[in-house]
Amino acid sequence: MAWTKYQLFLAGLMLVTGSINTLSAKWADNFVAQGCGGSKEHSFQHPFLQAVGMFLGEFSCLAAFYLLRCRAARYSDASMDPQQPFNPLLFLAPALCDMTGTSIMYVALNMTSASSFQMLRGAVIIFTGLFSVAFLGRRLVLSQWLGILATIAGLVVVGLADLLSKHDDQHKLSEVITGDLLIIMAQIIVSIQMVLEEKFVYKHNVHPLRAVGTEGE
């Protein structure tokens, strides 16, 4: 099925904002501050604080959802369909996966470069495809399998580049390898989150902003 212009716009917007997200987080990690009493400088290494900021952003989607619903009620806007009642605990498992995966990724970002971090996040394609076949009964077409194989080849190239390239004092080889493995681990958790959402959440008529906000809550 061909993509619409709106879908292409959303995909491009996600690519741009995702890159800005990674670069801004790495930029924050590079900050240093003088210690108390003239002690040595300390770098900004607070991955869990960054993860909390991410979830605050997700939680703010609830405010946007209720503002849109109030506007729809005021102007009789049919674009906001009546919401089907659902149990908020439905989002508990996906939210735990989201929180765990995001925290691990921010820890890994302290250990490796932003470019490797962003490219290794593509591993989510591999695990989501495999898990959808195993647990959702999906059948992937040839083009999707070829895409997974191409992604694997790209990840191998990124891993070899990190392994063979020279490393500075900020990122030692052991830290880079650990960071890369943590990113792959986080993508496994994120793919589990996606499979859980499709299996248990997709069948409910939940507005996207409300879904994201409930997970952030």
Side-chain angles (χ1 to χ4, degrees), residues 4 47 52-53 81 170 209:
T4 63
V52 169
D81 297 329
Q170 183 180 5
L209 284 174

Side-chain angles (χ1 to χ4, degrees), residues 174-204:
S174 59
E175 290 183 353
V176 171
I177 294 175
T178 303
D180 290 351
L181 292 177
L182 285 175
I183 297 171
I184 300 297
M185 183 189 305
Q187 301 321 300
I188 297 175
I189 298 173
V190 172
S191 63
I192 293 174
Q193 173 196 347
M194 293 183 177
V195 171
L196 288 173
E197 288 175 342
E198 183 168 350
K199 188 172 182 64
F200 299 109
V201 179
Y202 182 75
K203 57 186 177 183
H204 295 272

Side-chain angles (χ1 to χ4, degrees), residues 152-170:
I152 294 174
L155 295 179
V156 170
V157 171
V158 174
L160 288 176
D162 283 342
L163 188 63
L164 299 177
S165 61
K166 296 181 179 180
H167 302 281
D168 52 22
D169 295 334
Q170 183 180 5

Side-chain angles (χ1 to χ4, degrees), residues 58-81:
E58 291 185 5
F59 180 60
S60 66
C61 290
L62 272 182
F65 166 74
Y66 286 114
L67 287 174
L68 286 176
R69 195 164 74 169
C70 291
R71 179 182 179 276
R74 183 176 180 181
Y75 296 101
S76 301
D77 188 358
S79 62
M80 293 288 290
D81 297 329

Side-chain angles (χ1 to χ4, degrees), residues 2 22 34 41 49 54 82 96 106 108 128 136-137 139:
T22 299
Q34 190 72 31
E41 292 183 339
L49 178 62
M54 177 74 71
L96 290 174
Y106 279 124
T128 303
L136 299 178
R139 295 190 63 181

Side-chain angles (χ1 to χ4, degrees), residues 108-147:
L109 186 58
N110 279 286
M111 301 180 177
T112 189
S113 63
S115 57
S116 296
F117 173 86
Q118 192 71 1
M119 288 185 285
L120 289 173
R121 289 179 66 181
V124 70
I125 298 173
I126 303 170
F127 299 111
T128 303
L130 295 179
F131 289 161
S132 64
V133 171
F135 301 109
L136 299 178
R138 295 284 188 269
R139 295 190 63 181
L140 303 182
V141 298
L142 178 60
S143 60
Q144 292 171 326
W145 284 114
L146 291 176

